[in-house]
Amino acid sequence: MKRALTLLLLICLLGSVSAPAAHAATAITATFYRGDRVLTTVTVSNGTLTLPDAPDLGNKQFLGWLLERGDTKVLYGAGETCTNISADLTFYALAAEFKTLTGAGVTYTAPTKLRFDGGILLEDYNALAAKMGEEQISFGMLIAPYTAVSSESAFVLGGAIDGLQVTTADALAYHTERWGVFCGYSSEIEDGLLLQKFSARAYISVTHGGKTLTTYATYDPTRHARSAHGVSAAAVEDRASAATERYTNLTGDGCYSPYTTDCLTSLCQRLDKVVYISLTNGVESKYSLDNFTFSVFEPAHYVSPYRLKQVLIDQPAGYDTYVVVAAEGADFNNVTAYFIGGSYRAPDRANEWKNDGIYIAVRNTTS
């Protein structure tokens, strides 16, 4: 009898030890989705969670983590911390494929401004708008002098870049079959800066609950930097041999242009403000999109109204002076900027402009 009581007591003691394990608290988790696909699940420790870094989304940029719990939505950036967590959480990766489009547009009348465009994949925009609301999405374009953009990391809102311009839009300007396009215009470009390149970088901002997350497109200094002269020249050269939906205007050379005669005339007048001087061949009808590689104008489209009158060798000492004059009917005083020897050089009107031409001194090879 005593042995039976001892065994019963032991069973009771074992039961009291194992009972709490059967009622242990379930671990709290946070699950991260891209659409319906689970990216990762993380266990919450002590009510605190550090959100993952931006996931690899292929061609799409990560815009932020959206926490959804019923009708409640909270926006978080990658690596942010959530605290006081007491229940499972579900996050969705906001993402879109967007980019700064290659090249630029330019106004054909004064004031001279460059227009840079950004594009967002329409299906991504529509999904983002459905999730957040169109009013919570804005687009922007950063524009700055090319020489001031030392790195992509500095080319951001609030970046330490002299001359940084910020343009913002809250709606798409237009769309194609696949892409929505938003635009940003530079401030007025003075005639003396027609050869200066400007860089652009598109960005998208998403706002919710007073919080804004901004994501930037990749910046490429070759594709996303242009000068007003280079874009004007490219527009003048943009011709087709037959009329199409884009090329609707018959020009004097028998080709078709996207631009009217008045527009082409204004663009050519802007081109007249720049002269290209070769140290070996004199004045040439050339232009450049990047200020490094030069193309020759089709003579039927544009010919420089200037010529090299003479070269004054070793005048002054150590320099050769190139004297540029206007062809018949033109005026060299219209020149506001020039390339010489393939390099952009700001004119010195006080000392280089004389009554009979522009006198440009270049250090000679014998000095």
Side-chain angles (χ1 to χ4, degrees):
M1 183 67 177
K2 182 176 181 180
R3 184 176 181 181
L5 289 173
T6 302
L7 180 59
L8 180 61
L9 178 60
L10 179 61
I11 291 172
C12 291
L13 289 172
L14 288 173
S16 66
V17 171
S18 59
H23 297 87
T26 303
I28 298 174
T29 62
T31 305
F32 296 82
Y33 287 85
R34 170 59 183 146
D36 296 329
R37 179 169 62 92
V38 174
L39 296 175
T40 186
T41 299
V42 179
T43 300
V44 176
S45 177
N46 298 321
T48 300
L49 170 68
T50 299
L51 275 67
D53 293 335
D56 183 0
L57 299 171
N59 292 330
K60 302 183 188 301
Q61 283 97 321
F62 174 74
L63 306 180
W65 293 113
L66 181 66
L67 169 63
E68 289 193 333
R69 182 187 289 163
D71 295 331
T72 302
K73 295 181 180 181
V74 184
L75 195 59
Y76 290 94
E80 284 196 47
T81 300
C82 300
T83 58
N84 300 319
I85 300 171
S86 58
D88 292 346
L89 302 178
T90 300
F91 293 86
Y92 292 91
L94 300 179
E97 182 177 349
F98 78 100
K99 57 188 175 181
T100 310
L101 301 184
T102 298
V106 70
T107 55
Y108 69 90
T109 57
T112 301
K113 294 184 178 182
L114 285 169
R115 191 198 77 204
F116 293 94
D117 296 340
I120 180 171
L121 203 63
L122 276 177
E123 64 181 38
D124 290 346
Y125 171 75
N126 291 333
L128 186 62
K131 180 75 75 173
M132 301 300 299
E134 284 186 308
E135 70 281 359
Q136 305 299 327
I137 307 167
S138 62
F139 313 96
M141 194 71 64
L142 304 178
I143 302 173
Y146 172 81
T147 53
V149 182
S150 58
S151 67
E152 184 180 68
S153 61
F155 201 9
V156 295
L157 289 169
I161 293 180
D162 290 337
L164 179 65
Q165 304 167 41
V166 181
T167 62
T168 303
D170 55 9
L172 299 173
Y174 64 94
H175 62 82
T176 65
E177 185 176 345
R178 295 185 65 239
W179 293 91
V181 179
F182 51 98
C183 310
Y185 282 87
S186 72
S187 58
E188 181 177 353
I189 299 171
E190 299 176 1
D191 287 346
L193 298 178
L194 290 177
L195 292 175
Q196 178 172 304
K197 289 194 299 181
F198 290 85
S199 296
R201 189 181 192 189
Y203 68 89
I204 291 179
S205 294
V206 181
T207 300
H208 185 76
K211 182 177 185 177
T212 299
L213 297 180
T214 299
T215 306
Y216 302 90
T218 299
Y219 167 66
D220 184 299
T222 300
R223 294 185 291 119
H224 305 142
R226 291 292 185 267
S227 70
H229 180 265
V231 177
S232 299
V236 168
E237 288 288 86
D238 188 11
R239 309 288 173 99
S241 58
T244 67
E245 185 177 351
R246 170 177 167 79
Y247 298 89
T248 57
N249 300 286
L250 181 63
T251 61
D253 65 335
C255 293
Y256 292 84
S257 169
Y259 312 104
T260 65
T261 299
D262 287 345
C263 180
L264 290 173
T265 298
S266 294
L267 290 171
C268 287
Q269 289 172 347
R270 180 180 293 148
L271 298 181
D272 288 347
K273 296 178 180 180
V274 174
V275 60
Y276 178 94
I277 307 152
S278 166
L279 299 183
T280 55
N281 300 322
V283 172
E284 296 182 309
S285 298
K286 288 187 174 183
Y287 68 96
S288 178
L289 295 179
D290 58 12
N291 287 6
F292 299 106
T293 304
F294 293 86
S295 301
V296 179
F297 281 101
E298 171 62 42
H301 302 164
Y302 179 78
V303 175
S304 175
Y306 311 107
R307 64 182 179 85
L308 183 65
K309 179 180 179 180
Q310 61 181 323
V311 181
L312 306 176
I313 304 299
D314 207 35
Q315 297 182 42
Y319 291 82
D320 297 333
T321 297
Y322 293 74
V323 183
V324 176
V325 298
E328 185 175 351
D331 184 356
F332 65 82
N333 289 300
N334 288 333
V335 172
T336 61
Y338 53 73
F339 287 110
I340 187 162
S343 298
Y344 167 37
R345 180 167 156 181
D348 180 358
R349 294 191 70 90
N351 297 306
E352 295 177 341
W353 263 251
K354 301 185 184 301
N355 291 334
D356 60 338
I358 308 171
Y359 285 66
I360 307 170
V362 178
R363 186 176 294 278
N364 58 39
T365 57
T366 60
S367 61

